[in-house]
Amino acid sequence: MQPIKIILPPQTIGIIGGGQLGRMMAIAARYMGYRIVVLDPAPNCPTAQVADEQITADYTDLTAVKELIEKADVITYEFENVDLKAAELIQNAGKLPQGALALEVTQNREKEKQLVDDLELPVPAFRIVKTEEDCREALSIIPLPAVIKTCRGGYDGKGQLKLVTEEDKNEALAFFEEHGYCIIERWIPFDKEISVVFTRSQQGDISFFPIAENEHRKHILYKTTVPADIDAALEEKAYAMTAKIAERMEIVGTFAIEMFVGEDTIYINEMAPRPHNSGHYTIEGCNVSQFAQHIRAICGLPFVPVNLYEPTAMVNILGESLSKSIQFTTAHNFGFLHLYGKEEPKEKRKMGHITFTAETPEALQKQLDIFEEAIQQ
């Protein structure tokens, strides 16, 4: 572990990646009085709009990375596909409290699954396939339904294919031929998906946010509701599994683990080594957000004890629902609108989110019903 350095305002935080997560990190940091410099290849990216400075360059440009190291007192990232050479360069400069290990593991589904398996935590049966022979063998062993995924990359349902019938196995072979280096895993029937979002300090202390329940539509997160509808025993089990992973990976900062809940069993699905879409509810729903807690972690500051104010739900705003979502706010006195500053609304592109809070789950559901009806008109 690197020596703990306390970073205080108005020192500078560097962010690799200029999307919405970097933007919300930057906003939280600016409230606290920090300066922000962002590295992103797209001019005027969402994070740059709220930052002090942008280094416009590719993430693999080590000259640009060295410039970021010179300008920032501490550096973080908003996505997991950070170039490992760049991460190691920053780590060696003593400015990456999160380290490179979490990136190395979460960039690669084989390493991710193997780590969970090594910890003897529940994970769907899987096989790594690197040749056509591996693929055929895995398809003969893993029962249907199953799913084939690329071992690297992929998000929001991209880079994967669900296999239901024997005929689908031919599509799986074609998928492997196109992508190579894949994982085939059993498709687990589940009652619900939950997210455990937490922040771990450089000293190893863990601060958990309330467990969230997720609803996906067409492979994209549509809604996150808190608190999740699970009993106390499952909640404690999810927290214990998370803590085990966090310790093994020496996590620093905010991190998210998605899990499948089926009857009394919880399966680890995927991990994200940074703030997560399913944690956006914390901005209005909690006394401290996942982004503010993340900034505190990387800057060596003590955590704020987390409290949920009241039942909360976050709904993603995609390109096709952007105008109606904005219009909704002119007619209703509930719902907190967040737009990400992306230039062009595209179908299935996350343009923002809206958060709802209410005193009771029933009142919260009523708000969600009104919103859903409005955007479907």
Side-chain angles (χ1 to χ4, degrees), residues 92-105:
N92 292 337
K95 294 187 177 182
L96 189 69
Q98 293 161 272
L101 177 61
L103 290 170
E104 183 181 348
V105 171

Side-chain angles (χ1 to χ4, degrees), residues 221-249:
L221 181 63
Y222 169 70
K223 178 177 66 178
T224 295
T225 307
V226 183
D229 184 18
I230 57 175
D231 62 33
L234 278 174
E235 183 177 311
E236 287 304 312
K237 188 174 182 180
Y239 282 140
M241 291 166 62
T242 298
K244 204 170 181 180
I245 292 171
E247 294 296 332
R248 170 65 69 89
M249 294 179 66

Side-chain angles (χ1 to χ4, degrees), residues 101-114:
L101 177 61
L103 290 170
E104 183 181 348
V105 171
T106 55
Q107 283 180 10
N108 186 304
R109 287 192 171 99
E110 178 179 6
K111 292 182 178 180
E112 188 175 275
K113 295 291 184 185
Q114 196 59 59

Side-chain angles (χ1 to χ4, degrees), residues 190-356:
F190 59 92
D191 298 325
K192 60 192 67 178
E193 181 191 278
I194 60 173
S195 287
V196 182
V197 179
F198 67 94
T199 313
R200 186 171 182 269
S201 73
Q202 297 177 52
Q203 296 92 331
D205 301 319
I206 298 180
S207 172
F208 289 105
F209 289 95
I211 294 177
E213 185 171 332
N214 299 326
E215 177 188 333
H216 288 79
R217 296 185 180 179
K218 296 182 179 178
H219 303 293
I220 299 174
L221 181 63
Y222 169 70
K223 178 177 66 178
T224 295
T225 307
V226 183
D229 184 18
I230 57 175
D231 62 33
L234 278 174
E235 183 177 311
E236 287 304 312
K237 188 174 182 180
Y239 282 140
M241 291 166 62
T242 298
K244 204 170 181 180
I245 292 171
E247 294 296 332
R248 170 65 69 89
M249 294 179 66
E250 300 180 347
I251 299 304
V252 172
T254 295
F255 193 98
I257 302 179
E258 296 173 332
M259 304 180 183
F260 294 142
V261 177
E263 297 181 355
D264 294 328
T265 305
I266 303 177
Y267 291 93
I268 303 294
N269 180 26
E270 293 185 347
M271 300 187 281
R274 33 77 181 171
H276 193 259
N277 194 175
S278 63
H280 292 352
Y281 78 88
T282 60
I283 297 173
E284 281 86 23
C286 296
N287 61 313
V288 60
S289 75
Q290 63 167 343
F291 301 101
Q293 207 81 307
H294 178 74
I295 296 300
R296 298 182 75 88
I298 65 169
C299 292
L301 305 180
F303 291 149
V304 176
V306 176
N307 293 305
L308 179 69
Y309 287 134
E310 55 188 4
T312 304
M314 183 281 311
V315 178
N316 276 325
I317 297 172
L318 304 183
E320 58 268 34
S321 60
L322 176 61
S323 60
K324 288 185 178 179
S325 297
I326 295 173
Q327 191 64 32
F328 174 87
T329 64
T330 68
H332 299 87
N333 64 352
F334 56 87
F336 299 88
L337 180 68
H338 296 253
L339 297 182
Y340 300 152
K342 296 180 180 179
E343 291 183 1
E344 185 181 357
K346 297 179 181 179
E347 188 173 349
K348 308 307 176 193
R349 187 184 195 189
K350 293 174 184 174
M351 301 301 297
H353 70 266
I354 187 166
T355 307
F356 301 92

Side-chain angles (χ1 to χ4, degrees), residues 15-16 25 75-79 82 96 98-99 102-103 273-274:
I15 301 176
I16 299 177
M25 279 185 203
I75 295 173
T76 185
Y77 46 80
E78 66 131 24
F79 63 101
V82 175
L96 189 69
Q98 293 161 272
L103 290 170
R274 33 77 181 171

Side-chain angles (χ1 to χ4, degrees), residues 139 142-150 157-173 175-176 179 183-190 218-219 260:
L139 290 169
I142 303 292
L144 296 175
V147 61
I148 182 170
K149 303 177 182 178
T150 56
K158 299 177 176 67
Q160 63 178 274
L161 175 68
K162 187 177 180 182
L163 314 174
V164 180
T165 67
E166 288 294 322
E167 289 73 24
D168 290 339
K169 291 183 178 181
N170 291 325
E171 290 189 38
L173 288 166
F175 182 95
F176 170 76
H179 297 283
I183 180 172
I184 297 177
E185 63 183 55
R186 186 176 182 184
W187 183 276
I188 298 294
F190 59 92
K218 296 182 179 178
H219 303 293
F260 294 142

